[in-house]
Amino acid sequence: MTEVQEMYATIIRHLPEAERLLLAKLIISDLAPEPATTGDRHYAIDLLEQMPEGRLFRTPVEADTYLQEERDSWDH
């Protein structure tokens, strides 16, 4: 096991989801080059952080169920 894998297994994996998302954002921000102009640009991770508990749906099945219920309500 590499040092990074060990760190993940012993420390990072046990962090709350919001903290792991923040850590991922920090790592990606550090690796990604800064855009020439940021303007009003929004990033997916920022949108996720604004949602309750980091995400609106926990699984794709939850999202599909919600969408199907919404579609069904249109017919009535």
Side-chain angles (χ1 to χ4, degrees):
M1 183 179 281
T2 68
E3 185 177 342
V4 172
Q5 290 170 321
E6 187 175 325
M7 239 178 13
Y8 179 81
T10 59
I11 300 169
I12 298 166
R13 188 168 133 214
H14 303 289
L15 293 173
E17 182 178 297
E19 289 185 27
R20 285 184 285 149
L21 283 171
L22 177 58
L23 180 59
K25 178 183 176 184
L26 292 170
I27 291 169
I28 290 169
S29 294
D30 186 48
L31 294 173
E34 288 292 320
T37 58
T38 56
D40 291 324
R41 215 167 168 185
H42 297 282
Y43 295 92
I45 192 74
D46 296 326
L47 296 174
L48 288 173
E49 287 177 343
Q50 293 171 13
M51 292 182 177
E53 297 183 27
R55 290 189 291 189
L56 182 58
F57 302 108
R58 292 249 173 245
T59 66
V61 172
E62 285 182 16
D64 290 341
T65 301
Y66 171 79
L67 291 172
Q68 189 58 52
E69 288 172 358
E70 284 297 305
R71 289 183 189 112
D72 291 344
S73 73
W74 301 340
D75 296 334
H76 301 292

